[in-house]
Amino acid sequence: MGALDYLSNFCTVTSIRRSKRKPMQTVEIKVKMDCDGCERRVKHAVTSMKGVKTVEVIRKQSRVKVSGYVDPNKVLKRVKSRTGKRAEFWPYIPQHLVYYPYVAGVYDKRAPSGYVRNVVQAFPATSSSSTGPEEERIVSLFSDDNVHACSIM
């Protein structure tokens, strides 16, 4: 059957356009929700979209996670238009991923505990500077697995 299917593709003319499928991704949005009604409205606005697989609403953090074959900008626009609330992409990342969590502009009082604002200044410079590689070399002398051992001894 494989050979016949292969040959039949040359004989038939198809006018069906194949649409490019969006990649599976997770979109995180910050929306202020005060009550169960707000939470329900936000969840309903997103679940009715085409391509959405899962929706997780975390009211305590004012956070909505949407997973599926969706466009992030369309999800954000849908939340803004259907709920009438101000929404933005999730601006925070876990604090343990940031090298310099107390650089100006990183620490945010409104951030959930354990999160800081995602800004460029929080990460080491990618250019070849004299302090960058030296600092990495010093940090790598110590082990996080065994804090009482180091490679100096």
Side-chain angles (χ1 to χ4, degrees), residues 15-124:
S15 62
I16 300 171
R17 280 185 13 208
R18 294 186 181 187
S19 62
K20 188 175 180 181
R21 191 170 189 182
K22 296 179 181 100
M24 176 77 165
Q25 58 187 340
T26 301
V27 181
E28 296 180 353
I29 298 175
K30 179 182 175 187
V31 184
K32 186 176 180 194
M33 295 172 278
D34 299 322
C35 61
D36 291 335
C38 297
E39 184 178 339
R40 190 172 46 251
R41 251 189 321 191
V42 170
K43 189 169 185 172
H44 179 69
V46 177
T47 54
S48 62
M49 288 184 69
K50 182 179 177 185
V52 172
K53 298 295 179 193
T54 61
V55 177
E56 182 183 353
V57 179
I58 308 167
R59 185 178 13 164
K60 189 174 183 180
Q61 293 182 349
S62 298
R63 182 181 194 174
V64 179
K65 287 184 182 180
V66 180
S67 296
Y69 302 100
V70 293
D71 182 23
N73 293 323
K74 287 184 180 179
V75 174
L76 183 66
K77 187 176 179 181
R78 172 70 70 99
V79 169
K80 285 181 180 179
S81 65
R82 292 278 176 102
T83 62
K85 294 185 170 291
R86 192 173 73 199
E88 62 179 323
F89 289 115
W90 186 253
Y92 306 116
I93 58 173
Q95 186 172 0
H96 69 277
L97 296 178
V98 178
Y99 286 102
Y100 311 115
Y102 298 107
V103 173
V106 175
Y107 182 72
D108 189 1
K109 290 181 182 179
R110 294 182 306 251
S113 64
Y115 287 88
V116 292
R117 193 166 279 281
N118 187 9
V119 294
V120 179
Q121 293 86 2
F123 298 98

